[in-house]
Structure formats: structure tokens, C-alpha cells
């Protein structure tokens, strides 16, 4: 079976303990990945998302704002590795990394489109269709892989009944689906890659 490298993954997370997967967590520093295996890359997204500057209350209290794209070069390194060795990168839909690196932004409703002039293809798919508790729309960027037909579409938001009972539906919609699991010192439920989605990405990388 084709070995693949899982880059920027959570220590002890869903990629660990699987055969023929070379895991690179924060301690190993995936920016130093030397090849030669195809990659599944999950570069950190905090500085590329809607709240790239930081939490609004923190900014209001301290005046401190983060720098957009200041991820220590992780996304740039992941892009370099995917183009060189083949594989797939995932990032949240709306990530500023796509326009920053001149990648075409795919439609929210799904379907593969050409990403760039380097043979990349990109799409948007909901991780909620592959086992995540929230919809979690996610962009994929693939080089040299098969491009499978995925479970496309834009779903309606779903919230836990306890949250609706406690806060009301209007509040839940403003807060977003990810607000009701994880957060603070434990973001694992939000960033965890469901096994079904992980297996999809691994199968794409192994098709290189």
C-alpha cells in the first residue's frame, strides 16, 4: 500500500496508529518534510479565517491584532509539498489563503474546478456529510490525485437541542454550529478530522 505523509496533524489524532501513514505533528514540524511520499496536509487555519485578527473581545480589551496569513509559512510549505509530491490540502471554506496564493475559489455548493496553472484542482465539501458534528464547509486542493465525485451540496445548519432550549434559535444561528462543542483550551472537537473524511483524503493521496 502506498505510504503517505499526514502533515500538520493533531498529536495522537485520527491519523495516528494507521498503517503506512507517516504523521507530522507540531513537534516534528511539517515545514521540514523532505518527501518523498504524497501528502495529506492540514496547515493551521487560524490566521487565514474570518477571525484572522483574533477574537473581537480580545482585540477590544487589549488592542492587539494578529497579522493575516501569519502562520509561520505553514500553508506555503504545504502548497510546495503538494505540488512537488502530489496529494491534497484541506482548509476551511472562505480561507484567505486561496486568494493570497492566487488559487481559484470553488463554489460553496460543490464540484471540482481548476485551481491554478500548476495542475491543481479545488472544491468545497461539507465535513458534516462525512461524520463531523457540524456542516464545516471545507476546501480541498489536490495535485496529481484522482478527483472523486463527492457528497456535494449546502446543508441547513443544525444545532443541539439543549442549545436551542437554552439560548434560542436566533442566538444559535449568530454563534454558529462550531460554538457548542470544544473551544477554550479544548478545540479538539472542532478541528478533529472524522475517520470517514480522513479516509477520503488518504485515498486521494494514495491515488497519486
Amino acid at each position: 500500500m502506498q505510504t503517505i505523509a499526514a502533515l500538520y496533524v493533531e498529536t495522537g489524532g485520527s491519523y495516528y496508529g494507521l498503517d503506512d501513514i507517516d504523521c507530522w505533528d507540531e513537534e516534528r514540524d511539517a515545514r521540514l518534510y523532505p518527501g518523498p511520499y504524497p501528502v495529506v496536509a492540514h496547515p493551521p487555519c487560524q490566521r487565514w479565517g474570518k477571525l484572522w485578527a483574533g477574537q473581537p473581545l480580545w482585540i477590544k480589551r487589549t488592542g492587539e491584532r494578529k497579522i493575516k496569513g501569519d502562520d509561520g509559512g505553514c500553508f506555503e510549505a504545504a502548497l510546495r509539498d503538494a505540488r512537488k509530491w502530489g496529494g491534497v490540502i484541506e482548509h476551511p471554506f472562505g480561507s484567505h489563503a486561496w486568494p493570497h496564493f492566487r488559487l481559484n475559489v470553488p463554489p460553496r455548493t460543490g464540484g471540482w474546478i481548476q485551481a491554478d496553472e500548476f495542475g491543481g484542482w479545488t472544491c468545497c465539501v461539507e465535513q458534516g456529510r462525512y461524520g463531523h458534528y457540524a456542516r464545516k464547509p471545507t476546501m480541498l486542493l489536490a495535485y496529481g490525485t484522482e478527483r472523486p465525485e463527492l457528497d456535494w451540496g449546502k446543508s441547513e445548519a443544525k444545532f443541539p437541542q439543549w442549545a436551542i432550549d437554552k439560548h434560542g434559535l436566533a442566538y444559535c444561528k449568530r454563534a454558529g454550529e462550531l460554538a457548542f462543542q470544544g473551544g477554550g483550551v479544548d478545540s479538539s472537537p472542532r478541528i478533529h478530522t472524522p475517520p470517514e473524511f480522513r479516509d477520503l483524503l488518504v485515498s486521494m493521496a494514495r491515488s497519486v
Side-chain angles (χ1 to χ4, degrees):
M1 187 176 292
Q2 164 76 293
T3 298
I4 68 151
L7 308 182
Y8 309 96
V9 294
E10 182 183 13
T11 305
S14 63
Y15 288 90
Y16 278 77
L18 301 180
D19 293 337
D20 303 306
I21 295 185
D22 182 21
C23 293
W24 289 71
D25 60 5
E26 185 175 2
E27 184 176 348
R28 284 190 79 185
D29 193 351
R31 294 172 297 180
L32 305 178
Y33 176 65
Y37 307 126
V39 305
V40 172
H42 298 268
C45 61
Q46 290 89 341
R47 301 283 74 84
W48 294 108
K50 290 190 298 184
L51 299 180
W52 60 264
Q55 290 291 339
L57 289 178
W58 174 261
I59 294 172
K60 184 177 180 179
R61 186 164 61 246
T62 67
E64 178 187 345
R65 292 174 60 86
K66 306 294 186 180
I67 299 172
K68 183 189 290 186
D70 185 18
D71 68 350
C74 291
F75 191 92
E76 185 175 15
L79 184 58
R80 176 197 65 218
D81 290 333
R83 285 171 172 171
K84 183 173 183 178
W85 307 112
V88 58
I89 299 170
E90 72 86 27
H91 237 221
F93 184 73
S95 167
H96 292 285
W98 260 240
H100 181 84
F101 289 98
R102 299 183 180 180
L103 302 166
N104 295 324
V105 176
R108 171 69 173 80
T109 50
W112 292 99
I113 66 167
Q114 191 168 357
D116 57 23
E117 67 271 31
F118 302 105
W121 290 81
T122 186
C123 72
C124 176
V125 65
E126 293 180 355
Q127 288 193 44
R129 295 170 180 261
Y130 293 87
H132 200 278
Y133 73 86
R135 291 177 298 173
K136 200 175 181 182
T138 299
M139 294 193 293
L140 303 181
L141 176 62
Y143 290 89
T145 75
E146 293 178 355
R147 299 189 298 278
E149 194 68 18
L150 302 179
D151 190 357
W152 311 117
K154 184 176 181 180
S155 305
E156 292 295 321
K158 295 180 180 179
F159 304 98
Q161 189 59 48
W162 68 262
I164 296 174
D165 293 342
K166 180 177 181 180
H167 301 291
L169 184 58
Y171 174 90
C172 291
K173 287 182 177 180
R174 289 196 303 273
E177 295 161 280
L178 295 176
F180 301 103
Q181 288 194 43
V185 296
D186 181 19
S187 60
S188 296
R190 301 181 184 184
I191 67 174
H192 179 73
T193 302
E196 187 180 354
F197 196 65
R198 172 205 65 201
D199 292 345
L200 166 66
L201 302 183
V202 168
S203 69
M204 289 180 61
R206 284 186 169 146
S207 72
V208 171

